[in-house]
């Protein structure tokens, strides 16, 4: 595991420009947002700080939004997600001007009533959609930066989403709006009986709820975390051949760490085995999509940084006895 992590981070470091930025810059937000986090957990603080300096100069404004010289169009539909990841990495790297100012902006995207985070910056009203995945990562970032009340609101949102499910044994609808409530569309649903699903939706929910339970040990958070991760574990075995499964290992590992129930540890280890097996000899990972068998370089950078972060998550949690 250590060897895989080191090989992966060496590949990421080889993609850096002299100033530790990564081009093409139009993918800085959509694809490179998790790099500071990956560098932080692998001991490359200087490279992470230098990359954040590039963001500070080029893609970070006075409001605390990651916007500026280059497009972030490829992230518009998940607006809080790259922001949350960049803030998380910045906080780990002790770049507190970015993390604190970034949090002030991020919190403007939270629905204070429902508790979720709006997926689009340009639709914060009744038709604005709030998503389990996007909101859970924002909640994790709230926890890391000390915004406990905002994180608790995300917990309220995930509890509401769970209770609204019409068939939680078989399907997890993951999008909500004030106007429609739970949006019951096939493309906004994880179907446990079908292949090629968005397995990360229940996975990251379980990870966030586990962390929230650590911060505020109320039984309902742990019960919800178990509910979400057990849904993920019920999903088609196809999941263990797809990178979308990695967050389920994160969630299962944390539930194991809290409960010491070895079912969750064994599942997390299966996900870990998949991550290790999927690494290319050069050190990177890919996220193959239906339209392409040769992902572009920026896509490999994104999925490799995520793999390294999840190696850190899973190995840390499953080795707590």
């Amino acid at each position: 595991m250590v060897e895989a992590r080191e090989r992966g981070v060496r590949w990421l470091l080889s993609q850096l420009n002299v100033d530790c930025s990564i081009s093409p810059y139009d993918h800085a937000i959509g694809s490179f947002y998790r790099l500071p986090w990956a560098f932080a957990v692998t001991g490359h603080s200087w490279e992470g700080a230098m990359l954040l300096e590039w963001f500070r100069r080029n893609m970070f404004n006075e409001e605390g939004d990651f916007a500026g010289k280059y497009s972030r169009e490829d992230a518009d539909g998940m607006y809080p997600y790259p922001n949350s990841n960049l803030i998380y990495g910045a906080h780990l790297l002790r770049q507190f001007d970015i993390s604190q100012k970034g949090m002030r902006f991020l919190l403007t995207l939270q629905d204070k009533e429902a508790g979720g985070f709006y997926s689009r910056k340009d639709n914060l009203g009744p038709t604005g959609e709030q998503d389990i995945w996007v909101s859970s990562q924002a909640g994790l970032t709230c926890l890391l930066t000390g915004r406990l009340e905002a994180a608790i609101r995300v917990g309220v949102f995930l509890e509401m989403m769970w209770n609204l499910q019409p068939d939680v044994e078989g399907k997890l609808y993951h999008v909500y709006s004030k106007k429609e409530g739970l949006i019951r569309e096939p493309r906004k649903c994880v179907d446990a009986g079908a292949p090629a699903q968005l397995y990360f939706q229940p996975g990251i929910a379980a990870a966030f709820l586990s962390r929230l339970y650590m911060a505020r040990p109320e039984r309902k958070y742990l019960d919800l975390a178990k509910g979400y991760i057990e849904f993920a574990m019920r999903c088609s075995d196809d999941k263990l051949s797809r990178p979308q499964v990695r967050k389920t290992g994160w969630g299962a590992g944390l539930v194991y760490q809290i409960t010491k129930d070895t079912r969750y540890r064994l599942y997390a280890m299966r996900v870990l085995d998949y991550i290790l097996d999927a690494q290319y000899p050069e050190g990177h990972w890919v996220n193959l999509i239906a339209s392409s068998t040769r992902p572009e370089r920026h896509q490999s950078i994104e999925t490799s940084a995520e793999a390294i972060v999840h190696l850190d998550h899973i190995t840390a949690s499953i080795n707590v006895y």
Side-chain angles (χ1 to χ4, degrees), residues 1-68:
M1 289 179 284
V2 173
E3 180 185 347
R5 185 188 70 176
E6 293 306 308
R7 192 163 67 247
V9 78
R10 282 197 301 271
W11 184 83
L12 285 179
L13 292 170
S14 74
Q15 306 303 305
L16 296 176
N17 298 323
V18 174
D19 63 353
C20 291
S21 66
I22 297 187
S23 51
Y25 297 136
D26 282 346
H27 293 292
I29 298 298
S31 294
F32 306 150
Y33 54 83
R34 200 177 277 104
L35 284 167
W37 188 345
F39 289 146
V41 298
T42 55
H44 292 277
S45 299
W46 178 78
E47 290 86 352
M50 284 294 291
L51 178 57
L52 286 169
E53 182 64 22
W54 182 89
F55 277 98
R56 194 182 274 116
R57 293 175 180 176
N58 295 281
M59 290 294 290
F60 191 60
N61 63 26
E62 285 302 314
E63 288 72 40
D65 190 11
F66 292 91

Side-chain angles (χ1 to χ4, degrees), residues 168-184:
V168 78
E169 287 298 310
K171 294 183 178 180
L172 180 70
Y173 294 93
H174 50 83
V175 181
Y176 167 90
S177 74
K178 287 183 175 180
K179 182 177 181 180
E180 296 188 43
L182 187 70
I183 298 177
R184 302 185 189 185

Side-chain angles (χ1 to χ4, degrees), residues 15 22 24-26 79 93-94 197 212 216 234 303 307:
Q15 306 303 305
I22 297 187
Y25 297 136
D26 282 346
Y79 207 95
L93 290 164
R94 304 174 300 280
Q197 300 294 295
L212 182 58
R216 180 68 68 89
R234 286 196 297 275
T303 200

Side-chain angles (χ1 to χ4, degrees), residues 194-205:
Q197 300 294 295
L198 303 181
Y199 306 115
F200 54 79
Q201 292 278 355
I204 195 170

Side-chain angles (χ1 to χ4, degrees), residues 205-227:
F208 164 71
L209 288 161
S210 297
R211 292 294 191 199
L212 182 58
Y213 176 78
M214 291 177 177
R216 180 68 68 89
E218 296 181 17
R219 184 74 195 189
K220 63 180 180 179
Y221 299 134
L222 179 56
D223 289 342
L224 275 171
K226 290 165 69 175

